[in-house]
Amino acid sequence: MSSPDPASAYSIRRATSAGAPALAQLRWDFSPDEIAASGASFEPFRDDFSRFLEDAFAGGAWTVWVAEDAGGEIVANMYIQRVGKVPRPGRFGHAWGYVTNIYVAPAHRNHGLGARLLAAVVSWARAERLEHLALWPSAKAVTFYHRA
């Protein structure tokens, strides 16, 4: 990964399937305990993960937000799964969002990327009329969410 840039040099956007290899790498980097326990190798994971993303994007249930550095490298991500609610009389199509897999590559931390990604997700969720966002943070991530 490239060295960190000033915070203003990062851009936040929705991911596309073209970013699948970079997103697979970030997910791999996010999961060292699972790698050690499973003995998995990256190439088969990357291929399976790319298929997951293709299906996820095609189905419309998942949206992925990314941060890119000035060179266009994806260095952070945040996933949101749209969860449809059971319809009620007069209330069809309502949904909420599950926020998961928030990860910023270590060299790019402490530049406000997590907060910027979360702000983009919240703004998008409002525009999408999601009723609420839910997440299950790790113990060390709780302070981030309190600050945000």
Side-chain angles (χ1 to χ4, degrees):
M1 301 228 166
S2 58
S3 61
D5 294 329
S8 62
Y10 293 96
S11 61
I12 306 296
R13 65 171 178 82
R14 285 177 61 175
T16 65
S17 58
L23 290 167
Q25 184 65 59
L26 289 175
R27 185 64 174 162
W28 182 263
D29 295 345
F30 179 81
S31 310
D33 294 338
E34 290 86 352
I35 295 165
S38 69
S41 59
F42 180 70
E43 291 76 17
F45 171 78
R46 181 196 58 219
D47 295 344
D48 289 343
F49 194 83
S50 294
R51 282 189 291 281
F52 162 79
L53 281 178
E54 286 290 332
D55 292 344
F57 290 153
W62 287 92
T63 302
V64 182
W65 288 84
V66 296
E68 288 180 325
D69 67 10
E73 180 180 2
I74 296 173
V75 298
N77 57 234
M78 187 174 290
Y79 289 64
I80 303 85
Q81 184 179 27
R82 178 186 299 266
V83 181
K85 294 179 71 176
V86 175
R88 289 194 222 170
R91 290 190 62 184
F92 289 88
H94 288 253
W96 59 278
Y98 167 52
V99 180
T100 187
N101 191 38
I102 298 98
Y103 182 74
V104 177
H108 299 274
R109 293 179 183 162
N110 302 312
H111 291 290
L113 292 179
R116 288 181 61 199
L117 281 167
L118 186 57
V121 166
V122 168
S123 178
W124 169 82
R126 285 185 178 127
E128 291 289 310
R129 303 184 76 178
L130 297 181
E131 291 188 4
H132 66 272
L133 296 173
L135 53 92
W136 288 268
S138 67
K140 70 181 187 177
V142 169
T143 56
F144 163 76
Y145 290 107
H146 281 295
R147 282 192 318 266

